[in-house]
Amino acid sequence: VLRTIEESISLNNEMAALRDVKILKDLPDSVSVPHDPIQFIRVVNNLVKNAIEAAADSSSKKQIKVSVREGKETLDLTVEDS
């Protein structure tokens, strides 16, 4: 899961840099949740890309934050734009 999130952030770093958007991360050291890697990277890429686009249009701080929290049977992935 974390590797997939890191890959998505890496794939979107150039777009963020071109739009002067900083990507912040708040990720745990490890997460163990069953998932479909192909579907998951699609979802994460879409969320990160949309947040970068929204932050780039913002007049305030241009940054997004990607955070993950693991519950007993869930994974909370948050992608915030400022």
Side-chain angles (χ1 to χ4, degrees), residues 33-53:
V33 176
H35 67 288
D36 177 340
I38 294 170
Q39 283 292 82
F40 191 66
I41 196 155
R42 285 182 186 155
V43 170
V44 175
N45 272 334
N46 190 43
L47 291 171
V48 171
K49 182 179 176 182
N50 289 345
I52 290 169
E53 290 172 355

Side-chain angles (χ1 to χ4, degrees), residues 27-70:
L27 307 175
D29 292 332
S30 66
V31 173
S32 177
V33 176
H35 67 288
D36 177 340
I38 294 170
Q39 283 292 82
F40 191 66
I41 196 155
R42 285 182 186 155
V43 170
V44 175
N45 272 334
N46 190 43
L47 291 171
V48 171
K49 182 179 176 182
N50 289 345
I52 290 169
E53 290 172 355
D57 293 338
S58 171
S59 59
S60 62
K61 261 193 206 177
K62 294 186 176 189
Q63 67 182 27
I64 68 167
K65 181 178 180 182
V66 179
S67 58
V68 171
R69 297 288 173 262
E70 185 177 15

